[in-house]
Amino acid sequence: MSGTETGTQALIAAVEAGDAAAVGEMLDGDPMLVHARCADEDRHHWTALQLAAARGHLAVCRLLVERGAEVYTNPWNTYPPVMQAAWNHHQEVIDYFLKEIPEKADGTNGLGVSMVLAAREGWVELVREHIRRDPLRVHERGWIRETALHWASHNGLIEVMEALLDGGAEIEAHEVGLYGGTPLQWASEHEPAAVALLLARGANLEARNQMPDADFYGATALIVNATQRNDCAEVTELLLAAGADIHARDAAGKSALDHAREGGRARIQAVLEAHGARLHEGGDSTDGVH
């Protein structure tokens, strides 16, 4: 093992332990260690600052930033330090990044976090401030090419959704990097209030997932709803009441009812079957609802 590798491992171990004094001594000896990364996949190849934030070690975070650590790094398959702190519930560390040094986070409009991630977390005041400083931020895309409205809709963050929609966010935007889908399709998994808001704002019920390699290729919001383990029949009711096509099939040729039956979504299945029975009693074809 080289001396560089040994130094990196020692630095990462000290960061993991929250030993600011040891981290400082090592950085005195080799300032470039401030850019060290975890070597293992279990820690997602985090930088030292991401690791310190994830563990809630505020003193180590301060020290690393003072020594030149990149504040808003977003390598490979992970997220910036402030998000590691947020997802691990370290409020003091969150406040440090967002209130003390937001201007150090490059590419965040001087707010410490991107529009997309602020929306994902429900930080509505930061979302509003992003829009105030730069109205075009409503069109910003995240790591998987999703918009802020995708995450706000998926997480049922109504205030954030309203701020984004009022600010001109595209209600029919498609995520084009991983799962695919529109905000309505993302909300249809398990967020009735978000679905209701999007429908009230004119979202297209029959929009199709456009990602050829995605599991949901060709799916409408109703089909997406029927694939999810949440078994959220409240969303099913809302979509059907708005006129969703119960006969629609995805690229694999499956309807919402097919997915509900195969996945054991008993509540959604019951709603779909009841709706199909009502259509039949009314004289409409139930072809495809079997």
Side-chain angles (χ1 to χ4, degrees), residues 114-163:
S114 72
M115 165 73 93
V116 170
L117 293 179
R120 181 172 179 171
E121 282 304 293
W123 293 333
V124 66
E125 294 306 324
L126 286 175
V127 169
R128 289 172 177 150
E129 185 60 18
H130 265 297
I131 296 170
R132 189 190 71 78
R133 295 187 185 188
D134 181 2
L136 291 179
R137 288 280 175 160
V138 295
H139 305 300
E140 180 181 287
R141 295 276 178 160
W143 184 63
I144 59 171
R145 312 309 297 155
E146 79 282 27
T147 67
L149 186 59
H150 278 92
W151 278 120
S153 301
H154 180 269
N155 293 339
L157 302 168
I158 302 303
E159 279 191 283
V160 175
M161 292 175 66
E162 290 175 335

Side-chain angles (χ1 to χ4, degrees), residues 67-146:
R67 297 297 185 94
E70 186 180 359
V71 170
Y72 208 69
T73 187
N74 189 10
W76 298 312
N77 64 340
T78 187
Y79 288 87
V82 66
M83 301 311 296
Q84 306 302 338
W87 293 335
N88 287 282
H89 312 293
H90 300 305
Q91 190 61 50
E92 287 186 344
V93 179
I94 297 169
D95 290 343
Y96 168 64
F97 286 113
L98 297 184
K99 296 180 180 180
E100 292 189 40
I101 61 164
E103 71 287 347
K104 290 184 179 293
D106 293 340
T108 68
N109 219 11
L111 294 172
V113 68
S114 72
M115 165 73 93
V116 170
L117 293 179
R120 181 172 179 171
E121 282 304 293
W123 293 333
V124 66
E125 294 306 324
L126 286 175
V127 169
R128 289 172 177 150
E129 185 60 18
H130 265 297
I131 296 170
R132 189 190 71 78
R133 295 187 185 188
D134 181 2
L136 291 179
R137 288 280 175 160
V138 295
H139 305 300
E140 180 181 287
R141 295 276 178 160
W143 184 63
I144 59 171
R145 312 309 297 155
E146 79 282 27

Side-chain angles (χ1 to χ4, degrees), residues 213-272:
D213 297 326
D215 291 341
F216 306 110
Y217 184 40
T220 62
L222 186 65
I223 294 172
V224 172
N225 167 248
T227 69
Q228 300 300 304
R229 65 179 181 274
N230 306 86
D231 199 13
C232 187
E234 293 79 7
V235 165
T236 318
E237 294 274 15
L238 283 169
L239 295 172
L240 291 171
D245 182 3
I246 197 171
H247 309 301
R249 295 180 180 276
D250 61 18
K254 294 182 180 181
S255 67
L257 185 55
D258 292 330
H259 282 289
R261 284 173 171 165
E262 290 176 8
R265 325 292 183 205
R267 297 179 66 240
I268 291 175
Q269 179 180 339
V271 171
L272 291 169

